[in-house]
Amino acid sequence: MTDLISLAAFAPLLALIGALVNGLFGRAFREPLPGVIASLSVGIGFLLSIIAFFALAAGEETRVSITLWPYLQAGSFELSLGFALDRLSLLMMLIITGVGFLIHVYSIGYMHGDEGFSRYFMGLNLFVAAMLLLVMADSFLLMFVGWEGVGICSYLLIGFWYREKLNADAARKAFIVNRIGDAGFLLAMFLTVTTFGTLDIQAVNEAAGALVFGSSVLGVIGLLYLLAATGKSAQLPLQVWLPDAMAGPTPVSALIHAATMVTAGVYLIARVAPLFAQTPAASAAVAWVGGLTALIAAFIAFSQTDIKKILAYSTISQLGFMFVAVGVGAYWVGIFHVFTHAFFKALLFLGAGSVIHALAGEQDVRRMGGLGKHMRVTGTTSLIATLAIAGVPLLSGFFSKDAILAHTATSELIADYGNLVLYAILLVTAAMTAFYMFRWYHRVFAGEERFPKKLRDSLHESPSVMTLPLVILAVCSVLAGYLGLPEFAFPNWIAHWLEPSVETPVSFLHLSTSLEWLLIGLSVVAAAVGLGLGYWVYERNRGRLVARLEESMLARLSRSGFGFDALYRAVFVEPAEGTASGLSSVDTDIVDRGLRAGASPVGLLARAAALLQSGYLRAYALAMLIGVLVFALIVSLSGVLS
Amino acid sequence: MVATEYYVALSSILFAIGAVGVLTRRSAIMVFLSVELMLNAANLALVAFARQWSGAGSITALSGQTAVFIILALAAAEVAVGLGILVSIFRYRASTDVDALAEIRL
């Protein structure tokens, strides 16, 4: 059994090999080959993960650790690199390789004819390898390697079409903002070493459980890990990079900026669940960051006009939901939402990609509409995903979102930090989610056709290499939720499955069955209100109300992304640019001018000396002869010879 | 036996003739010849001194002759390179006047 589980350790290696082959020889391959190699390397990784998953399910153990090699030895501090395959990391591996495989296959169609075809698959494979490393690591240090690895791949793929300056700028922005979070990760690791003397995650978790409940050092470590998580998962106040990251190819947005990488922050907090369970203050900070992010991002999503930016803000908002889940102590719920969200959000992005593909690069929803008739598969699957994320009952998003809401309302961990206010915020956000997702679907697939007439004849459904992943993801978007039915009345597989990995003493209020049903009813009402309002505003009212509100303060606030970009520009970018130009004038006006002034006498001296060089050979010979004679005279007069 | 002083005097005269030749002749070939004359003046002095010290032990006696051999080899190499340069200069300018070759200056 252990051997079968250990097989999964080859998954990142396979993806790395795929990246190497494509990176070194990709230019020599003809078109579909790099995509096939990349898809195969991830697909085999997926098979290995499935085998390991079932082997773990059938066996007795809940955790298999594989030590690779010793890495650091400094005094009493020792660190070996190794993988920890437990129920949590294997579930994440299934998501990464499974959704990753589908997106690789889809990309073969989407990136058809691009000159960077093999470079694209190199980046995608490298990303999968780094992401697997992140979730499989048994120490914070190795996790940090994966953490940085996914960051660099994200940078490479956002700036994939680097000839356009906007794309390159977006890539840099993502990288720099992520650095802030990475600094938090590093500081957290330093504090972890000084506190616990080890970076082994399991050892830290066990030691944290033994510390005093609510001890301040745990709180600080927790807040630093939260800072790391806000960077990678695009939460307040570091959320600004994700909307710009949509500059990359759409499948990249689906895989990296929706399904996997951005959930790394949630994974990190779930991974150190015992630590966070000991510190209500840090947990409350996580939950509140998540709640406010969810609300604000949903609000911004109302007014965006780029088909992908709406989805980007929706991702930020849904990540906020996950943060609330891990913040209130419901760690398996957070992972459950990661799981369902991976399917429907990847599906939404791939659907958007299919639309962009069909409309020859158009991304503005104001020039779309009515596409459902022309692209039946894309339209239908996108509708399923929209309903799933909106929280329509019996679809996957409903179950995971409802679990988050219920656990927020009943959390005992952050009961002193206003969990009921947070619940109200999330309920409102759930309704807002349904509203803006209805708007998204309606603007793209329903209503009147606003795209240019000449495009109408060339409209086509995407090739089956692209639609097949859509269909598979749609099936998963419907069914994934049934793994986590409400616990009080139904069997809940995923909570039970993840229990050994995220075991904490956190408890939740036990409500009566009728109250539980009431909570479910409230989330259904939220979804219904959102969708109903969307239907009224965009279908019945034909957007007249929206047009009237266009110039209001709130609309402007929403359009500007709550002013975060302008704020950061004024507070950080402009002072930095001012300092840089000031320093540059110091360099040119003082340093350079001083050096030039100091150099000019040397130049004059050289000019004077150059006059001695007449160019006449015989003059040089005479000078030499006179020199030798003078020298000989000096020697003979000095008496050395006698 | 002829005294060493005579050899040294002859060597000095030859050296002076060579030096004057280097300073006064404009043809590069003649400058070359004069340089050779100076080298051989030095060689003459060296062998003369070597003969004078022939009784002082083999290393001292042979060192003067060894120096001569080194100078001969060096002169041969110098001529080979120098004449090569000279030939190509002549091809380029149809003249070997060293005063005309005065471009390298400020």
Side-chain angles (χ1 to χ4, degrees):
Chain A
M1 279 302 173
T2 313
D3 291 344
L4 281 179
I5 298 168
S6 308
L7 268 183
F10 286 102
L13 187 68
L14 282 169
L16 194 63
I17 291 173
L20 275 178
V21 170
N22 272 333
L24 294 176
F25 314 112
R27 293 169 79 95
F29 295 156
R30 287 165 63 93
E31 186 163 298
L33 190 58
V36 173
I37 293 172
S39 306
L40 271 183
S41 68
V42 178
I44 297 173
F46 181 50
L47 289 180
L48 294 180
S49 306
I50 289 181
I51 294 171
F53 183 81
F54 283 109
L56 192 72
E60 298 264 295
E61 325 131 284
T62 55
R63 183 178 192 276
V64 172
S65 57
I66 302 159
T67 308
L68 297 177
W69 56 78
Y71 179 66
L72 265 181
Q73 258 180 325
S76 62
F77 181 79
E78 274 185 44
L79 184 71
S80 292
L81 297 186
F83 294 146
L85 298 171
D86 66 353
R87 296 180 161 191
L88 175 58
S89 59
L90 269 174
L91 187 67
M92 290 298 286
M93 286 177 71
L94 282 182
I95 299 174
I96 295 160
T97 52
V99 177
F101 173 68
L102 291 177
I103 291 173
H104 274 70
V105 171
Y106 175 94
S107 299
I108 296 176
Y110 189 82
M111 299 303 287
H112 171 73
D114 193 285
E115 57 171 338
F117 194 75
S118 63
R119 181 165 56 93
Y120 171 85
F121 281 102
M122 192 268 291
L124 220 53
N125 257 6
L126 198 60
F127 166 77
V128 171
M131 189 71 206
L132 288 173
L133 207 60
L134 195 165
V135 296
M136 291 164 71
D138 72 347
S139 67
F140 288 108
L141 193 73
L142 191 58
M143 190 193 239
F144 188 63
V145 174
W147 189 272
E148 294 292 295
V150 293
I152 191 75
C153 292
S154 157
Y155 166 79
L156 290 174
L157 289 166
I158 294 170
F160 180 72
W161 290 308
Y162 55 88
R163 288 202 178 87
E164 203 125 337
K165 188 171 181 303
L166 268 179
N167 299 346
D169 284 348
R172 274 209 300 269
K173 183 175 178 184
F175 196 71
I176 291 168
V177 174
N178 263 297
R179 301 307 307 164
I180 301 170
D182 297 346
F185 200 123
L186 278 174
L187 291 175
M189 278 203 288
F190 298 157
L191 200 54
T192 307
V193 171
T194 51
T195 311
F196 301 107
T198 174
L199 281 176
D200 186 276
I201 295 175
Q202 204 185 20
V204 168
N205 277 342
E206 278 165 14
L211 278 183
V212 186
F213 183 76
S215 84
S216 56
V217 67
L218 280 183
V220 176
I221 294 179
L223 287 177
L224 287 171
Y225 279 128
L226 170 63
L227 177 61
T230 54
K232 199 59 79 195
S233 293
Q235 297 293 294
L236 284 177
L238 300 178
Q239 86 289 13
V240 289
W241 66 271
L242 191 59
D244 287 26
M246 296 300 122
T250 309
V252 169
S253 311
L255 178 61
I256 302 184
H257 305 118
T260 55
M261 184 187 85
V262 287
T263 62
V266 184
Y267 173 77
L268 171 65
I269 294 173
R271 188 83 274 185
V272 292
L275 192 152
F276 273 93
Q278 284 289 86
T279 163
S283 287
V286 172
W288 274 99
V289 163
L292 291 178
T293 308
L295 181 67
I296 289 175
F299 175 66
I300 298 171
F302 280 175
S303 65
Q304 299 300 311
T305 53
D306 184 311
I307 183 172
K308 284 173 73 184
K309 280 206 174 160
I310 300 172
L311 296 179
Y313 279 109
S314 154
T315 305
I316 297 175
S317 178
Q318 295 301 310
L319 287 165
F321 273 90
M322 299 171 201
F323 267 60
V324 174
V326 291
V328 300
Y331 303 101
W332 70 264
V333 179
I335 298 298
F336 182 34
H337 200 52
V338 168
F339 183 66
T340 57
H341 178 256
F343 295 121
F344 55 70
K345 187 50 67 69
L347 176 52
L348 285 169
F349 268 111
L350 295 188
S354 184
V355 167
I356 295 168
H357 197 68
L359 290 180
E362 180 61 68
Q363 297 204 16
D364 195 327
V365 292
R366 285 170 300 191
R367 287 192 288 278
M368 292 179 184
L371 287 168
K373 292 191 292 292
H374 304 286
M375 309 173 72
R376 292 236 172 261
V377 182
T378 306
T380 314
T381 50
S382 295
L383 180 63
I384 292 171
T386 305
L387 295 178
I389 191 175
V392 169
L394 306 183
L395 296 177
S396 63
F398 166 75
F399 293 112
S400 54
K401 204 179 289 181
D402 179 63
I404 294 175
L405 288 166
H407 282 85
T408 307
T410 58
S411 170
E412 285 182 338
L413 181 65
I414 67 157
D416 297 339
Y417 298 90
N419 64 324
L420 288 176
V421 184
L422 209 51
Y423 173 76
I425 290 177
L426 287 193
L427 203 60
V428 172
T429 310
M432 287 162 77
T433 307
F435 178 78
Y436 71 69
M437 283 316 298
F438 183 88
R439 167 175 178 262
W440 180 84
Y441 181 80
H442 186 269
R443 300 247 99 185
V444 177
F445 293 104
E448 55 189 315
E449 299 176 358
R450 294 180 300 273
F451 49 85
K453 286 276 177 294
K454 63 176 190 292
L455 271 176
R456 197 173 192 283
D457 304 324
S458 60
L459 266 187
H460 57 92
E461 182 57 278
S462 301
S464 55
V465 71
M466 288 167 73
T467 51
L468 199 64
L470 292 180
V471 174
I472 297 173
L473 283 172
V475 172
C476 294
S477 299
V478 175
L479 297 181
Y482 291 93
L483 297 178
L485 296 173
E487 286 164 294
F488 68 94
F490 304 99
N492 183 319
W493 174 82
I494 195 163
H496 176 68
W497 170 259
L498 287 175
E499 202 185 299
S501 295
V502 294
E503 199 174 11
T504 58
V506 173
S507 60
F508 292 87
L509 287 175
H510 275 285
L511 300 180
S512 61
T513 312
S514 52
L515 262 177
E516 294 271 11
W517 279 112
L518 180 69
L519 287 181
I520 292 179
L522 278 177
S523 40
V524 174
V525 167
V529 165
L531 287 175
L533 217 58
Y535 178 75
W536 185 79
V537 168
Y538 289 101
E539 186 64 38
R540 300 293 294 275
N541 194 268
R542 297 249 162 236
R544 279 192 295 272
L545 181 68
V546 179
R548 203 148 4 113
L549 291 173
E550 197 81 333
E551 284 312 310
S552 68
M553 247 270 290
L554 280 176
R556 252 181 265 160
L557 196 60
S558 168
R559 264 202 302 278
S560 66
F562 235 72
F564 273 102
D565 276 329
L567 178 73
Y568 289 165
R569 191 155 181 85
V571 176
F572 298 111
V573 180
E574 270 163 16
E577 281 175 352
T579 316
S581 70
L583 286 176
S584 140
S585 65
V586 166
D587 186 43
T588 49
D589 292 349
I590 298 176
V591 177
D592 281 5
R593 200 177 280 181
L595 282 177
R596 264 200 295 279
S600 61
V602 178
L604 280 179
L605 215 65
R607 229 157 239 284
L611 291 178
L612 291 174
Q613 307 286 318
S614 62
Y616 290 110
L617 184 68
R618 297 186 300 163
Y620 300 152
L622 183 64
M624 266 170 73
L625 197 65
I626 292 172
V628 170
L629 284 178
V630 168
F631 196 65
L633 202 66
I634 291 171
V635 170
S636 61
L637 288 183
S638 68
V640 177
L641 291 177
S642 52
Chain B
M1 197 170 97
V2 181
T4 309
E5 284 84 353
Y6 293 101
Y7 290 106
V8 176
L10 178 61
S11 160
S12 306
I13 292 167
L14 283 174
F15 190 86
I17 294 172
V20 172
V22 167
L23 292 180
T24 55
R25 304 309 293 254
R26 292 175 61 186
S27 162
I29 299 284
M30 296 312 286
V31 173
F32 238 117
L33 277 176
S34 307
V35 169
E36 292 299 314
L37 203 57
M38 288 164 78
L39 281 171
N40 283 308
N43 282 346
L44 179 61
L46 282 167
V47 289
F49 287 125
R51 195 190 62 144
Q52 185 185 355
W53 292 101
S54 61
S58 62
I59 290 185
T60 317
L62 286 176
S63 59
Q65 298 176 9
T66 312
V68 170
F69 276 113
I70 292 172
I71 291 172
L72 282 177
L74 190 120
E78 174 229 319
V79 166
V81 175
L83 280 180
I85 295 173
L86 216 72
V87 167
S88 57
I89 287 176
F90 186 78
R91 274 202 197 132
Y92 181 56
R93 318 185 54 125
S95 140
T96 57
D97 186 343
V98 290
D99 281 0
L101 299 172
E103 274 104 28
I104 305 179
R105 65 176 166 199
L106 195 70

